[in-house]
């Protein structure tokens, strides 16, 4: 195989109480790449669409390029890779846009080279690319996008990734037409946390996982609370409290900032509730004169996949 087209799902990081340690993949939006083997070493990005000209084409400045560069270095090949990147999701949205491109590209490159590395190995390259995107190698977007499903990062050193089963859940994402850069949203976080908040947060983190295993929606709902990060970051999102309240008042199990924002997610028990919640959240943003887009999907348990049809982008 000389060429492959791959779709990778975007992701919701943090999931309320799990800053940098929880994330899950969603069916849409996501990114597509076409990856080709070339005989010259190195990575070349030949085309990017859907980014309004905002993303760099230089491979060492682009997350897809950096991840594939690290992959090629690791497998010690004289061949290179050409990447076409079709952005099908907003940038700086809180849905792990940079991670999604990196996962799609490195997954595609690995397939072209005969699947020689495991997903655990590929994860390291995508984490490197997160560092160039926002200065930190957090894994709570790249890991769910790569492995699919709900992922816990138990430890960063050594890296220890645990996939957690979940009951059927629908995720409503509302993406307001504002931009929050992850780098900025990380910089404003206070480096110290008070003990009382750590205790409350640990309780929620543990109970959320227990709720997933017990299929206990009420416990899941009670646990989707973040007393550490959300209060600090919600100021970047005008109307955040109103939008969150709209979600909860209309049946969502829980709602919080998706990753570093500005998107807000709500987890719901059924598709019908997820739709009602989406409309209510959108109305709340309208009252703030903010346009928004809604995405509704189940938790994506597949991760990246080859796209077989040859649709032109
Ligand atoms: N855990 C990261 C953060 C996710 O909240 O900064 C960024 O998408």
């Amino acid at each position: 195989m000389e060429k492959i087209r791959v779709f990778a799902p975007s992701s919701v990081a943090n999931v309320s109480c799990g800053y940098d340690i929880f994330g899950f993949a969603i069916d849409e939006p996501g990114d597509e790449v076409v990856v080709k083997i070339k005989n010259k070493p190195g990575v070349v990005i030949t085309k990017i669409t859907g980014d309004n000209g905002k993303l760099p084409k230089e491979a060492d400045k682009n997350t897809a390029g950096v991840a594939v560069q690290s992959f090629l270095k690791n497998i010690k090949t004289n061949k290179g890779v050409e990447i076409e990147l079709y952005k099908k999701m907003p940038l700086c949205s809180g849905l792990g846009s940079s991670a999604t491109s990196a996962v799609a590209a490195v997954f595609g490159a690995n397939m072209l080279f005969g699947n020689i590395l495991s997903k655990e190995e590929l994860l390291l390259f995508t984490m490197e690319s997160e560092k160039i995107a926002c200065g930190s190698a957090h894994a709570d977007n790249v890991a769910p996008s790569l492995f699919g499903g709900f992922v816990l990062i138990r430890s960063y050193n050594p890296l220890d990734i645990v996939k957690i089963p979940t009951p059927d859940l629908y995720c409503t994402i509302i993406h307001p037409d504002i931009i929050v850069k992850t780098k900025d949203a990380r910089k404003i976080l206070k480096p110290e946390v008070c003990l009382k908040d750590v205790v409350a947060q640990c309780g929620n983190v543990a109970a959320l996982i227990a709720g997933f295993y017990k299929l206990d929606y009420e416990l899941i709902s009670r646990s989707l609370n973040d007393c550490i990060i959300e209060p600090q970051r919600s100021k970047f999102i005008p109307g955040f409290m109103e939008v969150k309240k709209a979600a909860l008042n209309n049946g969502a199990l829980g709602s919080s900032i998706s990753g570093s924002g500005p998107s807000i997610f709500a987890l719901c028990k059924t598709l019908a509730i997820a739709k009602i919640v989406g409309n209510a959240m959108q109305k709340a943003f309208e009252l703030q004169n903010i346009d928004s887009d809604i995405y509704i999907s189940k938790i994506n348990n597949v991760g990246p996949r080859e796209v077989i049809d040859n649709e032109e982008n």
Side-chain angles (χ1 to χ4, degrees), residues 13-14 18-21 94-96 130 134 138 140-141 182 185-186 189 229 233 258-261:
N14 300 340
Y19 176 70
D20 277 359
I21 63 164
L95 297 173
E130 281 293 64
C134 65
H138 57 275
D140 52 342
N141 286 116
T182 299
R186 292 181 79 86
L189 296 177
I229 307 297
R233 280 182 171 171
S258 174
S260 55

PDB file of all heavy atoms in Angstrom, residues 13-14 18-21 94-96 130 134 138 140-141 182 185-186 189 229 233 258-261, ligand 1:
ATOM      1  N   ALA A  13     -11.595  16.332  26.494  1.00  0.00           N
ATOM      2  CA  ALA A  13     -10.604  16.091  27.547  1.00  0.00           C
ATOM      3  C   ALA A  13     -11.105  16.642  28.883  1.00  0.00           C
ATOM      4  O   ALA A  13     -11.998  17.481  28.922  1.00  0.00           O
ATOM      5  CB  ALA A  13      -9.282  16.744  27.182  1.00  0.00           C
ATOM      6  N   ASN A  14     -10.538  16.133  29.941  1.00  0.00           N
ATOM      7  CA  ASN A  14     -10.828  16.518  31.343  1.00  0.00           C
ATOM      8  C   ASN A  14     -12.121  15.901  31.882  1.00  0.00           C
ATOM      9  O   ASN A  14     -12.167  15.414  33.003  1.00  0.00           O
ATOM     10  CB  ASN A  14     -10.886  18.036  31.554  1.00  0.00           C
ATOM     11  CG  ASN A  14      -9.581  18.727  31.189  1.00  0.00           C
ATOM     12  OD1 ASN A  14      -8.530  18.083  31.142  1.00  0.00           O
ATOM     13  ND2 ASN A  14      -9.627  20.016  30.920  1.00  0.00           N
ATOM     14  N   GLY A  18     -11.560  15.396  35.769  1.00  0.00           N
ATOM     15  CA  GLY A  18     -10.300  14.687  35.467  1.00  0.00           C
ATOM     16  C   GLY A  18      -9.308  15.490  34.653  1.00  0.00           C
ATOM     17  O   GLY A  18      -8.886  15.051  33.568  1.00  0.00           O
ATOM     18  N   TYR A  19      -8.906  16.647  35.180  1.00  0.00           N
ATOM     19  CA  TYR A  19      -7.954  17.502  34.449  1.00  0.00           C
ATOM     20  C   TYR A  19      -6.701  16.713  34.064  1.00  0.00           C
ATOM     21  O   TYR A  19      -6.033  16.140  34.933  1.00  0.00           O
ATOM     22  CB  TYR A  19      -7.573  18.702  35.327  1.00  0.00           C
ATOM     23  CG  TYR A  19      -6.518  19.604  34.704  1.00  0.00           C
ATOM     24  CD1 TYR A  19      -6.822  20.402  33.600  1.00  0.00           C
ATOM     25  CD2 TYR A  19      -5.227  19.660  35.223  1.00  0.00           C
ATOM     26  CE1 TYR A  19      -5.869  21.232  33.029  1.00  0.00           C
ATOM     27  CE2 TYR A  19      -4.265  20.479  34.660  1.00  0.00           C
ATOM     28  CZ  TYR A  19      -4.595  21.263  33.564  1.00  0.00           C
ATOM     29  OH  TYR A  19      -3.634  22.083  33.007  1.00  0.00           O
ATOM     30  N   ASP A  20      -6.431  16.664  32.776  1.00  0.00           N
ATOM     31  CA  ASP A  20      -5.256  15.995  32.190  1.00  0.00           C
ATOM     32  C   ASP A  20      -5.260  14.467  32.347  1.00  0.00           C
ATOM     33  O   ASP A  20      -4.303  13.819  31.951  1.00  0.00           O
ATOM     34  CB  ASP A  20      -3.932  16.539  32.767  1.00  0.00           C
ATOM     35  CG  ASP A  20      -3.463  17.816  32.069  1.00  0.00           C
ATOM     36  OD1 ASP A  20      -4.147  18.275  31.138  1.00  0.00           O
ATOM     37  OD2 ASP A  20      -2.413  18.354  32.460  1.00  0.00           O
ATOM     38  N   ILE A  21      -6.307  13.894  32.972  1.00  0.00           N
ATOM     39  CA  ILE A  21      -6.287  12.430  33.156  1.00  0.00           C
ATOM     40  C   ILE A  21      -7.490  11.703  32.536  1.00  0.00           C
ATOM     41  O   ILE A  21      -7.447  10.487  32.408  1.00  0.00           O
ATOM     42  CB  ILE A  21      -6.172  12.023  34.653  1.00  0.00           C
ATOM     43  CG1 ILE A  21      -7.382  12.491  35.465  1.00  0.00           C
ATOM     44  CG2 ILE A  21      -4.867  12.535  35.252  1.00  0.00           C
ATOM     45  CD1 ILE A  21      -7.502  11.795  36.820  1.00  0.00           C
ATOM     46  N   GLY A  94     -11.382  23.399  21.833  1.00  0.00           N
ATOM     47  CA  GLY A  94     -11.529  22.570  23.037  1.00  0.00           C
ATOM     48  C   GLY A  94     -11.895  21.137  22.695  1.00  0.00           C
ATOM     49  O   GLY A  94     -12.283  20.363  23.575  1.00  0.00           O
ATOM     50  N   LEU A  95     -11.743  20.771  21.422  1.00  0.00           N
ATOM     51  CA  LEU A  95     -12.070  19.397  21.011  1.00  0.00           C
ATOM     52  C   LEU A  95     -10.817  18.642  20.569  1.00  0.00           C
ATOM     53  O   LEU A  95     -10.900  17.613  19.900  1.00  0.00           O
ATOM     54  CB  LEU A  95     -13.092  19.418  19.865  1.00  0.00           C
ATOM     55  CG  LEU A  95     -14.442  20.028  20.235  1.00  0.00           C
ATOM     56  CD1 LEU A  95     -15.335  20.170  19.010  1.00  0.00           C
ATOM     57  CD2 LEU A  95     -15.140  19.172  21.289  1.00  0.00           C
ATOM     58  N   GLY A  96      -9.666  19.185  20.905  1.00  0.00           N
ATOM     59  CA  GLY A  96      -8.411  18.494  20.603  1.00  0.00           C
ATOM     60  C   GLY A  96      -8.079  18.485  19.124  1.00  0.00           C
ATOM     61  O   GLY A  96      -7.649  17.465  18.580  1.00  0.00           O
ATOM     62  N   GLU A 130       1.731  17.387  20.717  1.00  0.00           N
ATOM     63  CA  GLU A 130       0.955  18.264  21.602  1.00  0.00           C
ATOM     64  C   GLU A 130       1.853  19.342  22.219  1.00  0.00           C
ATOM     65  O   GLU A 130       1.420  20.456  22.449  1.00  0.00           O
ATOM     66  CB  GLU A 130       0.298  17.460  22.740  1.00  0.00           C
ATOM     67  CG  GLU A 130      -0.961  16.710  22.348  1.00  0.00           C
ATOM     68  CD  GLU A 130      -2.130  17.612  21.991  1.00  0.00           C
ATOM     69  OE1 GLU A 130      -2.021  18.356  20.996  1.00  0.00           O
ATOM     70  OE2 GLU A 130      -3.146  17.569  22.685  1.00  0.00           O
ATOM     71  N   CYS A 134       0.824  23.313  22.189  1.00  0.00           N
ATOM     72  CA  CYS A 134       0.429  24.146  23.341  1.00  0.00           C
ATOM     73  C   CYS A 134       1.423  24.106  24.491  1.00  0.00           C
ATOM     74  O   CYS A 134       1.096  24.536  25.587  1.00  0.00           O
ATOM     75  CB  CYS A 134      -0.972  23.763  23.809  1.00  0.00           C
ATOM     76  SG  CYS A 134      -1.031  22.123  24.453  1.00  0.00           S
ATOM     77  N   HIS A 138       0.322  16.807  27.308  1.00  0.00           N
ATOM     78  CA  HIS A 138      -0.791  16.087  27.946  1.00  0.00           C
ATOM     79  C   HIS A 138      -1.378  15.080  26.947  1.00  0.00           C
ATOM     80  O   HIS A 138      -1.348  15.289  25.730  1.00  0.00           O
ATOM     81  CB  HIS A 138      -1.853  17.059  28.453  1.00  0.00           C
ATOM     82  CG  HIS A 138      -2.412  17.946  27.388  1.00  0.00           C
ATOM     83  ND1 HIS A 138      -1.818  19.118  27.014  1.00  0.00           N
ATOM     84  CD2 HIS A 138      -3.503  17.806  26.606  1.00  0.00           C
ATOM     85  CE1 HIS A 138      -2.525  19.671  26.050  1.00  0.00           C
ATOM     86  NE2 HIS A 138      -3.549  18.891  25.772  1.00  0.00           N
ATOM     87  N   ASP A 140      -4.625  13.640  27.257  1.00  0.00           N
ATOM     88  CA  ASP A 140      -6.065  13.384  27.398  1.00  0.00           C
ATOM     89  C   ASP A 140      -6.886  13.732  26.157  1.00  0.00           C
ATOM     90  O   ASP A 140      -8.097  13.513  26.154  1.00  0.00           O
ATOM     91  CB  ASP A 140      -6.636  14.037  28.674  1.00  0.00           C
ATOM     92  CG  ASP A 140      -6.303  15.503  28.827  1.00  0.00           C
ATOM     93  OD1 ASP A 140      -5.372  15.985  28.162  1.00  0.00           O
ATOM     94  OD2 ASP A 140      -6.979  16.174  29.618  1.00  0.00           O
ATOM     95  N   ASN A 141      -6.259  14.255  25.095  1.00  0.00           N
ATOM     96  CA  ASN A 141      -6.917  14.303  23.788  1.00  0.00           C
ATOM     97  C   ASN A 141      -6.352  13.225  22.860  1.00  0.00           C
ATOM     98  O   ASN A 141      -7.103  12.504  22.207  1.00  0.00           O
ATOM     99  CB  ASN A 141      -6.747  15.672  23.112  1.00  0.00           C
ATOM    100  CG  ASN A 141      -7.585  16.761  23.725  1.00  0.00           C
ATOM    101  OD1 ASN A 141      -7.066  17.728  24.285  1.00  0.00           O
ATOM    102  ND2 ASN A 141      -8.895  16.632  23.643  1.00  0.00           N
ATOM    103  N   THR A 182      -5.316  26.811  24.069  1.00  0.00           N
ATOM    104  CA  THR A 182      -4.994  25.925  25.196  1.00  0.00           C
ATOM    105  C   THR A 182      -3.809  26.470  25.996  1.00  0.00           C
ATOM    106  O   THR A 182      -3.826  26.440  27.234  1.00  0.00           O
ATOM    107  CB  THR A 182      -4.684  24.504  24.675  1.00  0.00           C
ATOM    108  OG1 THR A 182      -5.858  24.031  24.011  1.00  0.00           O
ATOM    109  CG2 THR A 182      -4.348  23.544  25.797  1.00  0.00           C
ATOM    110  N   ALA A 185      -5.083  29.045  28.265  1.00  0.00           N
ATOM    111  CA  ALA A 185      -5.981  28.488  29.286  1.00  0.00           C
ATOM    112  C   ALA A 185      -5.211  27.664  30.315  1.00  0.00           C
ATOM    113  O   ALA A 185      -5.692  27.430  31.425  1.00  0.00           O
ATOM    114  CB  ALA A 185      -7.061  27.631  28.621  1.00  0.00           C
ATOM    115  N   ARG A 186      -4.021  27.201  29.966  1.00  0.00           N
ATOM    116  CA  ARG A 186      -3.192  26.475  30.946  1.00  0.00           C
ATOM    117  C   ARG A 186      -2.396  27.450  31.808  1.00  0.00           C
ATOM    118  O   ARG A 186      -2.199  27.224  32.994  1.00  0.00           O
ATOM    119  CB  ARG A 186      -2.239  25.487  30.242  1.00  0.00           C
ATOM    120  CG  ARG A 186      -2.956  24.322  29.586  1.00  0.00           C
ATOM    121  CD  ARG A 186      -2.007  23.350  28.922  1.00  0.00           C
ATOM    122  NE  ARG A 186      -1.377  22.446  29.863  1.00  0.00           N
ATOM    123  CZ  ARG A 186      -1.895  21.289  30.297  1.00  0.00           C
ATOM    124  NH1 ARG A 186      -3.064  20.900  29.858  1.00  0.00           N
ATOM    125  NH2 ARG A 186      -1.251  20.528  31.139  1.00  0.00           N
ATOM    126  N   LEU A 189      -3.927  28.902  35.106  1.00  0.00           N
ATOM    127  CA  LEU A 189      -4.296  28.024  36.233  1.00  0.00           C
ATOM    128  C   LEU A 189      -3.341  28.223  37.407  1.00  0.00           C
ATOM    129  O   LEU A 189      -2.117  28.278  37.235  1.00  0.00           O
ATOM    130  CB  LEU A 189      -4.273  26.561  35.790  1.00  0.00           C
ATOM    131  CG  LEU A 189      -5.300  26.197  34.714  1.00  0.00           C
ATOM    132  CD1 LEU A 189      -5.134  24.746  34.288  1.00  0.00           C
ATOM    133  CD2 LEU A 189      -6.724  26.461  35.174  1.00  0.00           C
ATOM    134  N   ILE A 229     -10.709  23.347  38.170  1.00  0.00           N
ATOM    135  CA  ILE A 229     -10.342  23.984  36.896  1.00  0.00           C
ATOM    136  C   ILE A 229     -11.474  24.849  36.339  1.00  0.00           C
ATOM    137  O   ILE A 229     -11.261  25.995  35.924  1.00  0.00           O
ATOM    138  CB  ILE A 229      -9.937  22.900  35.854  1.00  0.00           C
ATOM    139  CG1 ILE A 229      -8.845  21.981  36.423  1.00  0.00           C
ATOM    140  CG2 ILE A 229      -9.503  23.557  34.556  1.00  0.00           C
ATOM    141  CD1 ILE A 229      -7.535  22.644  36.745  1.00  0.00           C
ATOM    142  N   ARG A 233     -11.444  28.691  34.618  1.00  0.00           N
ATOM    143  CA  ARG A 233     -11.455  28.873  33.169  1.00  0.00           C
ATOM    144  C   ARG A 233     -12.773  29.397  32.612  1.00  0.00           C
ATOM    145  O   ARG A 233     -12.824  29.880  31.484  1.00  0.00           O
ATOM    146  CB  ARG A 233     -11.149  27.535  32.484  1.00  0.00           C
ATOM    147  CG  ARG A 233      -9.674  27.216  32.464  1.00  0.00           C
ATOM    148  CD  ARG A 233      -9.462  25.908  31.738  1.00  0.00           C
ATOM    149  NE  ARG A 233      -8.061  25.640  31.504  1.00  0.00           N
ATOM    150  CZ  ARG A 233      -7.603  24.485  31.044  1.00  0.00           C
ATOM    151  NH1 ARG A 233      -8.459  23.499  30.783  1.00  0.00           N
ATOM    152  NH2 ARG A 233      -6.326  24.306  30.832  1.00  0.00           N
ATOM    153  N   SER A 258     -15.260  21.570  27.675  1.00  0.00           N
ATOM    154  CA  SER A 258     -14.591  20.486  26.963  1.00  0.00           C
ATOM    155  C   SER A 258     -13.116  20.866  26.807  1.00  0.00           C
ATOM    156  O   SER A 258     -12.803  21.895  26.197  1.00  0.00           O
ATOM    157  CB  SER A 258     -15.238  20.289  25.594  1.00  0.00           C
ATOM    158  OG  SER A 258     -14.510  19.342  24.852  1.00  0.00           O
ATOM    159  N   GLY A 259     -12.230  20.080  27.354  1.00  0.00           N
ATOM    160  CA  GLY A 259     -10.799  20.405  27.306  1.00  0.00           C
ATOM    161  C   GLY A 259     -10.568  21.787  27.898  1.00  0.00           C
ATOM    162  O   GLY A 259     -11.085  22.113  28.973  1.00  0.00           O
ATOM    163  N   SER A 260      -9.849  22.616  27.148  1.00  0.00           N
ATOM    164  CA  SER A 260      -9.587  23.965  27.662  1.00  0.00           C
ATOM    165  C   SER A 260     -10.608  24.969  27.139  1.00  0.00           C
ATOM    166  O   SER A 260     -10.433  26.171  27.302  1.00  0.00           O
ATOM    167  CB  SER A 260      -8.166  24.382  27.282  1.00  0.00           C
ATOM    168  OG  SER A 260      -8.000  24.276  25.897  1.00  0.00           O
ATOM    169  N   GLY A 261     -11.681  24.481  26.475  1.00  0.00           N
ATOM    170  CA  GLY A 261     -12.731  25.352  25.979  1.00  0.00           C
ATOM    171  C   GLY A 261     -12.364  25.961  24.629  1.00  0.00           C
ATOM    172  O   GLY A 261     -11.275  25.726  24.138  1.00  0.00           O
TER     173      GLY A 261
HETATM  174  N1  LIG B   1      -6.177  18.702  29.715  1.00  0.00           N
HETATM  175  C1  LIG B   1      -5.916  19.729  28.734  1.00  0.00           C
HETATM  176  C2  LIG B   1      -6.247  21.063  29.375  1.00  0.00           C
HETATM  177  C3  LIG B   1      -6.765  19.511  27.517  1.00  0.00           C
HETATM  178  O1  LIG B   1      -7.294  21.166  30.001  1.00  0.00           O
HETATM  179  O2  LIG B   1      -5.449  21.997  29.245  1.00  0.00           O
HETATM  180  C4  LIG B   1      -6.567  20.548  26.458  1.00  0.00           C
HETATM  181  O3  LIG B   1      -7.443  20.297  25.392  1.00  0.00           O
END
